[in-house]
């Protein structure tokens, strides 16, 4: 198995200048790379190429880490998104993985002036269009939501719009982030893999892995399964729970209010006591506790787990304490 971190675990975001922020980010990425984490996820979602995300990605490349970037693809024009992804793949030397999701929050669609009812159609058209842009020299795309003619070869300097070729062939790995059964079946048919979100419990994931494999077999495909997991490693379960409690109790209350569990199977909820919420959902506790949880995911055939170990209200030091202990006492067992 391979392991990564989500940028919020300990990535510095303060500094008087962008140069200082980049230097701090680079130092952090070099440390987590030396600990054995191989991938940095930046969940940009609806923010696109924001400055802090750009610095994080540059710092990860500098440290020799792979990049993972998530986009809510219905919010972006596929020509712009294809160009951004290809550019990052070039900058990283072919070490970029992209996750695409439909999105569901009203505020995100309202901000971009995109009708939420169009999200699935835009999502599928965008993915189809990007693949054409990465493969073909000239693209004439005609869809319900996107229509364009453009050159997709970096050799045409006279083209009005140019999408560079990515390093990876035929294109960077594309995962679909999905929670619902229908979306998971779709991921098996159209993407290179499925990205499991932090919201789902292990029991739900185990059932959906079976569904995903069946859909992939029916399509004659062999996509991968990667996972995002919330995690915290401490000397024992009590210490881990009490460390994250001040941050996670309001975090999950907010997520439940926003409806983050609406796409989860019936009976899977983000409400209740923190102990109930984290059970089967977080990789948490002592090194032995965390190793036992990871072993379950390994048995399902999940190839890559990237962890978030810090939430609003926690310090950077608390996040890094967990990242260091997880690396030295847990991840070393899976190498």
């Amino acid at each position: 198995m391979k392991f990564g971190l989500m940028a919020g675990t300990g990535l510095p975001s303060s500094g008087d200048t962008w140069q200082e922020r980049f230097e701090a980010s680079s130092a952090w990425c070099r440390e987590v790379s030396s600990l054995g984490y191989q991938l940095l996820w930046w969940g940009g979602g609806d923010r696109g190429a924001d400055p802090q995300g750009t610095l994080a990605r540059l710092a990860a490349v500098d440290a020799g880490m792979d990049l993972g970037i998530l986009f809510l693809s219905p919010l972006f024009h596929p020509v712009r998104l294809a160009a951004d992804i290809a550019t990052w793949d070039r900058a990283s030397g072919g070490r970029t993985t992209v996750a695409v999701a439909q999105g569901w929050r009203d505020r995100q669609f309202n901000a971009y002036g995109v009708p939420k009812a169009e999200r699935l159609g835009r999502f599928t058209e965008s993915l189809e269009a990007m693949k054409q842009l990465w493969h073909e020299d000239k693209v004439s795309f005609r869809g319900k939501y996107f229509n364009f003619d453009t050159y997709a070869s970096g050799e045409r300097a006279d083209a009005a719009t140019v999408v560079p070729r990515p390093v990876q062939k035929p294109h960077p790995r594309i995962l679909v982030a999905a929670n619902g059964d229908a979306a998971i079946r779709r991921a098996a048919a159209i993407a290179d893999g499925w990205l499991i979100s932090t919201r789902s419990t292990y029991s739900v994931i185990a059932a959906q892995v079976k569904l995903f494999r069946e859909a992939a077999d029916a399509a004659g495909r062999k996509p991968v399964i990667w996972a995002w997991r919330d995690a915290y490693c401490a000397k024992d379960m009590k210490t881990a729970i009490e460390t994250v409690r001040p941050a996670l109790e309001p975090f999950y209350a907010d997520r439940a209010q926003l409806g983050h569990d609406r796409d989860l199977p019936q009976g899977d909820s983000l409400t209740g006591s923190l102990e109930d919420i984290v059970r089967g959902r977080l990789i948490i506790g002592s090194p032995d506790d965390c190793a036992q949880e990871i072993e379950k995911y390994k048995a399902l055939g999940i190839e890559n787990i990237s962890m978030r170990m810090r939430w609003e209200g926690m310090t950077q030091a608390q996040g890094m304490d967990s990242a260091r202990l997880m690396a030295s006492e847990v991840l070393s067992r899976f190498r």
Side-chain angles (χ1 to χ4, degrees):
M1 296 183 75
K2 292 186 177 181
F3 298 93
L5 283 177
M6 297 173 74
T9 292
L11 185 70
S13 59
S14 60
D16 293 335
T17 67
W18 286 113
Q19 180 62 31
E20 289 173 347
R21 292 190 184 192
F22 175 67
E23 290 172 357
S25 298
S26 293
W28 179 80
C29 285
R30 285 194 293 271
E31 178 182 0
V32 297
S33 178
S34 71
L35 292 174
Y37 295 100
Q38 298 145 302
L39 172 68
L40 177 71
W41 270 103
W42 186 266
D46 61 342
R47 296 197 299 271
D50 62 287
Q52 183 62 24
T54 299
L55 291 182
R57 295 166 200 172
L58 288 171
V61 171
D62 182 59
M65 300 179 75
D66 290 350
L67 300 179
I69 310 171
L70 181 140
F71 291 100
L72 302 183
S73 56
L75 303 182
F76 299 94
H77 195 286
V79 173
R80 178 69 271 159
L81 195 54
D84 287 347
I85 292 168
T87 299
W88 278 113
D89 195 50
R90 286 188 168 194
S92 68
R95 301 198 308 272
T96 295
T97 293
V98 177
V100 290
Q102 291 186 48
W104 59 271
R105 295 184 188 179
D106 291 338
R107 66 170 178 80
Q108 294 166 326
F109 290 90
N110 292 340
Y112 282 81
V114 174
K116 186 177 174 182
E118 298 177 358
R119 63 177 183 159
L120 177 56
R122 288 176 175 270
F123 175 84
T124 54
E125 277 192 20
S126 176
L127 187 55
E128 179 185 352
M130 287 194 293
K131 289 179 179 179
Q132 290 187 29
L133 288 162
W134 290 325
H135 299 168
E136 301 172 18
D137 287 334
K138 185 177 181 180
V139 176
S140 295
F141 189 86
R142 298 292 178 266
K144 182 178 180 180
Y145 304 103
F146 301 109
N147 291 275
F148 58 86
D149 298 279
T150 184
Y151 288 100
S153 168
E155 307 306 317
R156 285 296 302 265
D158 61 329
T161 304
V162 176
V163 175
R165 287 282 190 257
V167 173
Q168 297 178 76
K169 304 301 179 186
H171 51 69
R173 180 187 286 110
I174 301 174
L175 310 178
V176 168
N179 293 302
D181 290 353
I184 289 167
R185 291 190 186 95
R186 188 180 305 114
I190 67 173
D192 300 313
W194 166 35
L195 178 63
I196 299 168
S197 85
T198 58
R199 285 180 273 171
S200 301
T201 60
Y202 172 81
S203 60
V204 169
I205 291 168
Q208 290 182 329
V209 164
K210 184 175 184 293
L211 181 151
F212 180 81
R213 300 287 191 205
E214 290 172 350
D217 289 344
R221 309 181 73 248
K222 294 188 179 297
V224 300
I225 305 177
W226 287 19
W228 278 1
R229 294 283 82 189
D230 285 336
Y232 201 82
C233 190
K235 65 179 182 179
D236 53 43
M237 180 65 76
K238 180 180 179 181
T239 302
I241 291 288
E242 293 312 310
T243 301
V244 302
R245 185 185 299 279
L248 278 189
E249 283 186 337
F251 174 84
Y252 279 118
D254 177 68
R255 293 304 186 267
Q257 185 178 19
L258 289 171
H260 269 229
D261 51 2
R262 69 178 59 177
D263 290 332
L264 299 179
Q266 187 174 6
D268 193 2
S269 173
L270 297 178
T271 59
S273 70
L274 181 63
E275 287 78 3
D276 288 341
I277 294 171
V278 303
R279 189 176 298 114
R281 184 171 278 116
L282 266 69
I283 298 171
I284 190 168
S286 69
D288 285 344
D289 293 328
C290 293
Q292 289 171 13
E293 287 299 308
I294 291 174
E295 194 65 50
K296 294 178 184 179
Y297 293 101
K298 181 180 179 181
L300 292 178
I302 293 171
E303 301 175 16
N304 187 301
I305 297 178
S306 290
M307 292 173 276
R308 174 172 55 185
M309 302 188 202
R310 178 189 174 202
W311 300 264
E312 185 176 353
M314 291 176 62
T315 66
Q316 180 185 352
Q318 287 175 316
M320 286 307 298
D321 285 346
S322 173
R324 294 184 185 107
L325 186 60
M326 184 77 77
S328 63
E329 299 295 329
V330 181
L331 305 189
S332 57
R333 309 183 194 190
F334 295 90
R335 296 190 184 112

